Amino acid sequence: MTLLENRPSTDALADAPTSHPGLLSWVRDVARLTSPDRVQWVSGSTAEKKALEDELVEAGTLVRLTKQKDSFYCASDPEDVARVEGRTFICSRNERDAGPTNNWAAPDEMKATMTELYRDCMRGRTMFVIPFVMGHLDADQPMYGVEITDSPYVVLSMLIMARVNSDVLAKMSRTNADFVKCLHSVGAPLEPGEQDVVWPCNPTKYISHFPEDRTVWSFGSGYGGNALLGKKCYALRIASAIAHDEGWLAEHMLILKLTNPEGESKFIAAAFPSACGKTNLAMIEPTIPGWKAEMLGDDIAWMRFGDDGQLYAVNPEFGMFGVAPGTGWSTNPNAMRAIEAGGNIFTNVALTDDGDVWWEGMTDETPEHLTDWRGNDWTPDSGRPAAHPNSRFCTPIENVPVVAPEWDNPNGVPISAIMFGGRRKTTMPLVTETLDWAHGVFMGATLSSETTAAATGQVGVVRRDPMAMLPFIGYDAGDYFAHWLALGERDGAVLPKIYYVNWFRRDENNKFIWPGFGENSRVLKWIVDRIDGKADAVETAIGRIPAPGSLDVAGLDFSDDELAKCLAVDPAEWDAELDDIADWFARIGDTLPSELADQRDALRGRLGLE
Ligand code: GTP
Ligand code: MN
Ligand code: MN
C-alpha cells in the first residue's frame, strides 16, 4: 500500500509543509500528548485521497460501491450515530456566558479531564493534520481552521465538506494567520499487533468548545457533527461567538437564489432545525412555471454587512452532509442528481446486493433484499428501517446541478429575506410575514419544532429551538437574541424581511396538509412577490398571511378548506403557545432582552388574551 511505503516521519515537524510557528508548536504538543505512530499533513491531493480510500477499503471501514462513481459506504458503531447534545459543552471562562441552553464546564477542569483522555490516545494510529478554510480563501477575512484527527474517515469526509488544499496552508503560513484549533480523536488507541475495529470510538464522549480560545476538543465519536469539526463546532458554535464579538451572524441556514419569470433574482436564507427540510428547500425544483431556484448552501450561512448596508451571506462549507431517508427522486431530484455525479461517502444507509446504496424514501419500490445499516440481512417484512433514520450522504456541493454561479463568491450574496421554520403539527401557519425586524427576531427566538432523529434523545417532542440554533449557539442565548436585535439598530442597515414557515401542519388524520417539497416554491413566490410589492397579505394577530387568492395554488389539488387549515391562526392554540413561550423566556432568565418580553405582551394583546 502506497501509504505505508511513504509512511511519514514520526517527528511531527520533520517534514512539516509550513513554518507557521503557532501551528507547528500546537501540532508538536498534540503529538507528544497523544503518541501517534506517525503524523501526516493532509494536502488535499488526489493521490493522498486515493491512498486513504484504499486503506479504509482494505480495513473494511469503507465499502467501494460498484454501482456509483468514486463512492463509498460506511456503517458506524450502532452507538455512534448522531450528535450527542448531552455530551456537548461550551467551556467559557464564566458560566454565565454559556447561558442556560448549553452544558457548561470550567475550561481548566475540562482541559484537565480531556488531557488525560487524550494521553496516548492515538497510539497505533496516524495523526492527520488537516489545514482548511471555511468559506473562500479569497474572502476579505479568510476563516482558517486546522483539524487534528486520528480518523481517516474524518479526513476523507473533511476533504468533501471543507476547502482543503495546499493553497490554504500556504496562505495561512505566509500571513501567519490565526486559525481555529480543532482537535479530534476517536479515543481508541491500539496495542501493538491489536486488530482495529471497523468503526473505532469510545463510550466516553466529549464535544467541548472553548470560545475565548477559538478551540474545539472532541473525543470518543467518529460521527459527522461530533467529528467533522469544521461544521457544527467551528462554523456554528465557535463562529457564532466570533460573530457576536465582530458584529455579524453565523447561522444554521440554507442559502437560495430565486429568479422570477421576469428574470429578476433574489437571495434568501432560511433556518429550520435539523432534519426539518433545509437540504430539501436548498435544492428545490419549483413546480410553478417560469420560476427558477438555485442553491448556494444547505446548512450554514455566515452573514456580514456590506458597505451598502445589506447582509451578505456566504456558505462556509464545500460539501453537504444530508439526511438520506426521505431523499428521493420524487422529493429531492437535485440531491439524487448530485449523488449520481459521484464522490460520495454514505454513512449508515443500507447496501443493495449489487453494490449500491438504498434508504427509505429513495425509490417508490423497496428492494427485496438488503444489508441493513447494522450489517444484517433485511427484507421488507423485517419490521425495522433498513437505513438508520439519521443516515447521511456526504457529497460535494459542486455536484449539485442547480448550484448558483454565485455560490463560490468570496464575500457572498445580498440577502433579501430570512425564513424561520420548524416542524409543528399545529399552531404555526404555512407562512407568516413578520411585522418588522424586532418582531421577526421574536418569532425566531421562539421558533419551535418537534424533535427528530438528528440528535440522540426522544423524537417528536415540541421544543424551542431559537433560530434553529439551540444546539449551536456558542454563548448565552439571551446575549444571542440581544445581538440579533442590535443588528437591526445598526446605522444604515438595509435589513431583510423575516418570514416564518411551517410545511408540517397536520389534519385530524395526522396527515400533512401542505404537499411540501417542490410545492414550497409557491410560498417562496409569495415571499418574493411580497418583497417586490406584488402580493397581498392580511394582517392577523401573529403577522401577515397570504390574502385570499394571493398564494398561487394553480394546478394543485388543494381545496379552499385545506388552504384555510394551513393558514389558520387559532387563538386557543396560541393561548397555549404563549404559556409555553413564557416558560421558555423564563428559562433564558436575566439576559432575555426586554424587547422580546414586550413582543410577547404585544402579541397577547393582539390575540385579545389579556
Ligand atoms: P440537517 O441537515 O440535519 O440540518 O437537516 P435539514 O434541515 O437539511 O433537513 P432535510 O432537508 O434533510 O429534511 C429532512 C426531512 O424533512 C426528510 O425526512 C424530508 O422528507 C422532510 N421534508 C423536507 N421538506 C419537506 C416538506 O416540504 N414537507 C414534508 N412533509 N417533509 C419535508
Ligand atoms: Mn444542520
Ligand atoms: Mn441538511
Side-chain angles (χ1 to χ4, degrees), residues 254-258 268-272 276-286 293-295 297-298 331-332 334 402 419 501 503 516-524 527:
L254 66 93
I255 312 169
L256 183 64
K257 177 182 181 184
L258 290 167
I268 66 171
F272 311 148
C276 292
K278 286 183 301 301
T279 299
N280 275 271
L281 190 69
M283 281 186 262
I284 189 172
E285 218 168 48
E294 293 160 281
M295 160 177 152
D298 81 318
T331 54
N332 192 346
N334 285 323
V402 294
M419 292 160 63
V501 298
W503 317 137
F517 302 101
E519 306 297 358
N520 294 336
S521 56
R522 299 168 186 276
V523 173
L524 296 174
I527 289 174

Side-chain angles (χ1 to χ4, degrees), residues 83 231-232 236 252 272-275 278 298-300 321 392 472:
R83 286 184 293 99
K231 193 176 179 58
K232 304 301 190 185
L236 289 177
H252 193 200
F272 311 148
S274 292
K278 286 183 301 301
D298 81 318
D299 198 52
I300 300 179
F321 189 67
R392 300 268 169 165
F472 307 123

Side-chain angles (χ1 to χ4, degrees), residues 34 50 141 165 181 200 229 270 288 290 392 397 427 469 504 506 509 521 526:
T34 60
K50 174 83 174 54
Q141 189 185 340
N165 58 64
K181 296 188 179 84
L229 302 185
I288 37 174
R392 300 268 169 165
I397 287 185
T427 318
M469 282 283 280
F504 299 94
R506 310 241 191 171
N509 303 315
S521 56
W526 184 76

